[in-house]
Structure formats: structure tokens, C-alpha cells
Amino acid sequence: MEAVVSSRDVLKPRGPDRIGRGLMLALIVHVGLIIAIAIGVNWRSRAPEAMSAELWSAVPQAAAPRMVEPDPTPPTPPKPVPVPKPVPVPKVEPPPVRETPDAQIAIEKAKREQERKKQLEEEEAQREREEQRKKDQAAAAAAAAKQQELDRKKKAEDDKREAERKKAEATQLAKLREENMKRMMGQAGANGDPGATGSAKRSSGPSANYAGRVQARVMPNVVFTEETQGNPVAEFEVRSAPDGTIVGTPRLTKSSGVPSWDDAALRAIIKTGILPRDTDGTVPSPLIIALKPRL
């Protein structure tokens, strides 16, 4: 019971008889604080000394912070820290890959395969070129053979036509010779020339108007437009069969002096082809035909 009473006394406010003691303690604390502030504010730079005091008051109070005068010396600016330059990173080459024996063998094998493939392609190209060359030679030979065959056939046809022409001429000459022999046999005792072709026993020659009949047959076939001085005469010897068919090429026996008229007259006689018969029904051969540009 006494213990309880003692604890309650402690919690009770102090009586008036103790105020003087608290005031004394407060004054001591304030004096000490003033002395501490005076000591801390000085012109020398030194770390303040730590002081501690135990204060008692009727009511606990927190002390105010200590005032610190600023240092009049301006602070030294910090030195700039140099920025280090970037160090170039050296390029590191990858270490060479060391080929293993198997890889080397594979590479060499691939190279050999590539070379072999290239050689095969070249051989194939060479073979194709050779085959094309043979084809071209064969085509050229075939074309040459075909041309030779065409030339041979053409020559054979030309030879055949020439042979037929010669055969026809020979047949015509043989027939003419045979007819002449018959006339000669029938005109035994005649006094005409050996070359006469008439059927009369006496050679009397063409009739008076036969030359005009011949010119009338030949002149329509003349093609001549040049102007000539005078009226030149060209004479031709013409041989004909008994029916009047002109045999061979007429022979110019006397020129007119104008080559263009001589050529025109010759072409007209050849174009005529068959001479007219005389009044006795014969065609004199050989016959001299004289032609003029103007009748």
C-alpha cells in the first residue's frame, strides 16, 4: 500500500516550494548556451567542441538548434574532372579456319567435278559443231549433186533437140536430094543446068512477073523505119525446097551500103519462110532476091 502511494506522488505536479529550484536550473542552462554560442562564433576555423548538459525543467522542452555563422571564405570550386577519351577498340580478325583434311578433300573433289563438267560441256559443244559441219557439207554436196543433175538433164535435152534438128535437116536434105534425082531421071535429055529444079525439058527460068510476086510476099515482113538517101538495093541468094520452104540462111551477095537495111531485108526473108510458086507450079532454086526500101 505504501508502494502504490509513492508512485502516485511522483506523477503528481510539484508544489510551489520547488519553483525556485527549477528557475535556477533554467538560468544556468541559458547561460551555458550563451557561452557555447560565443565560443562557437569565432574567426578561427576549428571544429567545435562537443558539449553536453543535463537540464531539468518542470515541463520537458526541446532545445533550439545551434546557430552556425557561415564561413566568409568562398568555397573553392571543384576542379573539372577530365572526361577520358574513348579508346578505339582494335578490330580483332577472326582466326583463320583451319580446314580439316576431310574439308580439303571435299573442296578438291568439288574442283575436280567442276573441271570434269566443264570439259564434258566443251566436248559436247565440239561434237555439236562437228555434226553441224558435217550436215552443212552434206547439204552442200547434195545441192551440188542436184545442180549437176539439172545441168546434165538440161544438156541432154539440148543435145536431144540439137540432134532432132540435125536429123530433121538431114531428112529434109535427103528428101530434097531424092526429089532432085527423080526430076533429073524424068528430065533425061533436058538441056538445063545440072542445078536446075524445073520440070521442063528446057530451062526457061522464072517468069517475068515472078520477081514481083516474091517481093510482094517478102516486103510485108520488113520492119524498117530509118530514112535513107536514094533507094539502095540489097541482093540475097535464097535456096528453097520444091514446095518453096526456104532452106538454110539466105546469103547476102550484094550489100545496099546501108547495114541497117541489109539486116532488115534478111530478117524479112527469114520471116517469110515459104516462097510463092511460079506460073508453072515450081519454085526456082537457088534464087536471087533483090529488095529495096521503097518499091
Side-chain angles (χ1 to χ4, degrees), residues 47-242:
E49 295 179 357
M51 297 182 64
S52 61
E54 186 178 354
L55 301 176
W56 291 92
S57 62
V59 179
Q61 295 181 358
R66 183 181 55 190
M67 296 181 60
V68 179
E69 293 292 334
D71 190 356
T73 303
T76 304
K79 294 182 179 179
V81 179
V83 180
K85 294 182 179 180
V87 180
V89 180
K91 186 178 180 181
V92 180
E93 296 290 339
V97 180
R98 300 182 61 184
E99 297 178 352
T100 61
D102 293 340
Q104 184 65 26
I105 293 173
I107 293 173
E108 292 178 357
K109 184 177 179 181
K111 288 182 179 179
R112 287 194 299 269
E113 288 293 334
Q114 187 176 2
E115 293 176 356
R116 182 173 176 274
K117 183 178 179 181
K118 184 177 180 181
Q119 183 178 1
L120 290 176
E121 291 177 354
E122 292 178 355
E123 292 177 356
E124 181 67 20
Q126 180 65 23
R127 182 163 56 253
E128 291 179 357
R129 288 193 295 269
E130 185 66 20
E131 291 178 356
Q132 185 63 34
R133 185 182 65 82
K134 291 180 179 179
K135 289 180 180 179
D136 294 341
Q137 290 180 350
K146 185 177 181 180
Q147 186 63 35
Q148 290 178 358
E149 182 66 17
L150 294 176
D151 294 342
R152 185 186 66 79
K153 289 182 179 181
K154 184 176 182 301
K155 186 176 183 302
E157 292 176 357
D158 294 342
D159 294 344
K160 183 179 180 180
R161 284 194 295 268
E162 183 67 18
E164 290 176 352
R165 185 184 66 79
K166 289 182 179 180
K167 183 179 179 180
E169 290 181 356
T171 301
Q172 187 176 3
L173 290 175
K175 184 179 179 180
L176 181 60
R177 191 180 298 110
E178 183 179 358
E179 291 177 355
N180 289 337
M181 289 298 295
K182 287 180 180 180
R183 282 198 301 271
M184 291 174 65
M185 293 296 294
Q187 296 173 359
N191 60 356
D193 294 335
T197 60
S199 58
K201 291 188 176 182
R202 299 183 62 84
S203 178
S204 59
S207 61
N209 61 352
Y210 186 68
R213 295 174 63 185
V214 171
Q215 288 184 351
R217 176 69 66 83
V218 175
M219 288 304 291
N221 296 322
V222 175
V223 179
F224 186 73
T225 58
E226 296 182 10
E227 295 291 335
T228 60
Q229 293 181 355
N231 199 15
V233 180
E235 296 182 356
F236 296 90
E237 182 185 73
V238 181
R239 294 181 179 272
S240 62

